[in-house]
Amino acid sequence: MTTATLTASAAANEARRGNIIARRVLIASAWLAFALFLLLPLYIVLYEALQKGVGTFFSAIIEPDTISALKLTLLAVGISVPLNLVFGVSAAWCVSKYEFTGKSLLVTLIDLPFSVSPVIAGLIYVLLFGAQGYFGPWLQEHDIQIIFAVPGIVLATIFVTVPFVARELIPLMQEQGTQEEEAARLLGANGWQMFWHVTLPNIKWGLIYGVVLCTARAMGEFGAVSVVSGHIRGLTNTLPLQVEILYNEYNHVAAFSVASLLLILALFILLLKQWSEERLSRLKSAGDEE
């Protein structure tokens, strides 16, 4: 073996060792950041919630105002997520399968909640449906209350969660193309049969992933809901607002107990997200192999 060969081999080994060290440093830095910014706050929430014992923790959870906040949170999620599911699938179908005037505008409007502050969105609803708003007098004449009531909370939640299902499905459906739908149409399938037997099986994991993201966002929404709710205890407080009220009252144990309830729900949503993400990745990998 020549001297030049030995030199080249030594240089390659040195570069490899350098790459290994750099990779380990980056991995360690990532884990450190993960521990500091995610695991540590979660630990603090659970520690503060259980600081005075399990009995105090469950007393804060089963307190009537907290139960009411939980019910309202689940109600807002139960209304907004199915509506966004229908809108997201319809919008993704139109954008990915058809060409029409205003298509780019529709895509831009879908992304609008990402760029508008939730507080601004809530304020817009107040200006539209509040007592002094544009539709306020008409609503009062017909005894309809939207602001400081459940409808306003649902509307605010719908607005901030509009993009999640649609933005997950649009690129997926564009990648899949229209060949299978066209083949089903040639075989005599109607629109519903084509969607149910061809389109839906192809997008189901992406759809589940979008719904999980939408649910997580709806459950934790604070800004827009805070503006339109009025913070009426036991009536228009969701779980995030209940945490704020308890914390502002220096009832820290109860605040962290309610926050831990949100944390448990978030972890459940995270597990669903991870599961659906893995299934979606497998689906994409299978499509690439074909």
Side-chain angles (χ1 to χ4, degrees):
M1 185 176 293
T2 64
T3 304
T5 304
L6 290 174
T7 303
S9 177
N13 290 333
E14 186 66 26
R16 191 177 299 110
R17 283 194 294 271
N19 290 335
I20 292 174
I21 293 174
R23 184 164 61 249
R24 288 177 177 174
V25 170
L26 289 174
I27 292 173
S29 300
W31 276 109
L32 180 61
F34 177 78
L36 288 176
F37 297 109
L38 290 176
L39 294 182
L40 182 60
L42 296 181
Y43 168 77
I44 291 174
V45 169
L46 293 176
Y47 174 80
E48 292 291 340
L50 298 171
Q51 189 176 21
K52 294 185 177 179
V54 178
T56 304
F57 171 81
F58 281 108
S59 296
I61 294 296
I62 63 175
E63 202 266 339
D65 288 342
T66 301
I67 296 297
S68 175
L70 175 61
K71 290 180 180 178
L72 181 56
T73 300
L74 295 178
L75 176 63
V77 171
I79 296 175
S80 60
V81 172
L83 290 177
N84 277 326
L85 169 63
V86 174
F87 170 78
V89 172
S90 302
W93 179 283
C94 291
V95 170
S96 60
K97 306 299 181 182
Y98 300 102
E99 294 294 334
F100 56 90
T101 303
K103 179 177 177 179
S104 59
L105 178 61
L106 175 60
V107 175
T108 302
L109 291 176
I110 291 173
D111 291 336
L112 185 63
F114 283 145
S115 57
V116 175
S117 168
V119 175
I120 300 301
L123 181 60
I124 290 173
Y125 283 118
V126 172
L127 295 176
L128 286 175
F129 304 116
Q132 306 300 322
Y134 187 79
F135 298 107
W138 185 88
L139 292 173
Q140 287 182 333
E141 289 177 5
H142 294 80
D143 196 24
I144 299 174
Q145 186 172 359
I146 294 179
I147 303 302
F148 306 152
V150 174
I153 294 173
V154 172
L155 285 175
T157 305
I158 290 173
F159 178 84
V160 298
T161 55
V162 159
F164 289 94
V165 175
R167 292 308 303 173
E168 184 61 35
L169 292 181
I170 288 174
L172 178 62
M173 296 176 72
Q174 286 177 333
E175 182 181 353
Q176 291 174 351
T178 60
Q179 291 84 358
E180 294 186 16
E181 284 85 357
E182 292 172 356
R185 176 69 71 182
L186 291 174
L187 292 174
N190 57 35
W192 175 249
Q193 291 173 329
M194 184 171 59
F195 173 78
W196 186 257
H197 296 288
V198 178
T199 304
L200 186 59
N202 289 334
I203 66 170
K204 62 180 179 181
W205 298 117
L207 182 61
I208 292 173
Y209 184 62
V211 169
V212 168
L213 291 178
C214 184
T215 302
R217 182 69 176 86
M219 196 172 296
E221 173 53 30
F222 178 84
V225 170
S226 178
V227 175
V228 302
S229 70
H231 295 78
I232 304 174
R233 210 162 191 167
L235 293 177
T236 64
N237 273 347
T238 59
L239 282 178
L241 300 183
Q242 181 71 3
V243 172
E244 181 199 28
I245 287 179
L246 292 173
Y247 191 82
N248 288 338
E249 293 176 347
Y250 300 99
N251 191 353
H252 293 168
V253 173
F256 281 107
S257 298
V258 178
S260 67
L261 179 59
L262 268 175
L263 175 61
I264 293 171
L265 295 174
L267 290 176
F268 177 72
I269 296 297
L270 180 63
L271 291 175
L272 287 178
K273 173 182 175 293
Q274 185 66 26
W275 172 71
S276 60
E277 192 174 22
E278 289 179 358
R279 296 302 298 263
L280 184 60
S281 298
R282 291 177 187 174
L283 182 63
K284 290 182 178 179
S285 299
D288 293 338
E289 291 177 359
E290 293 177 358

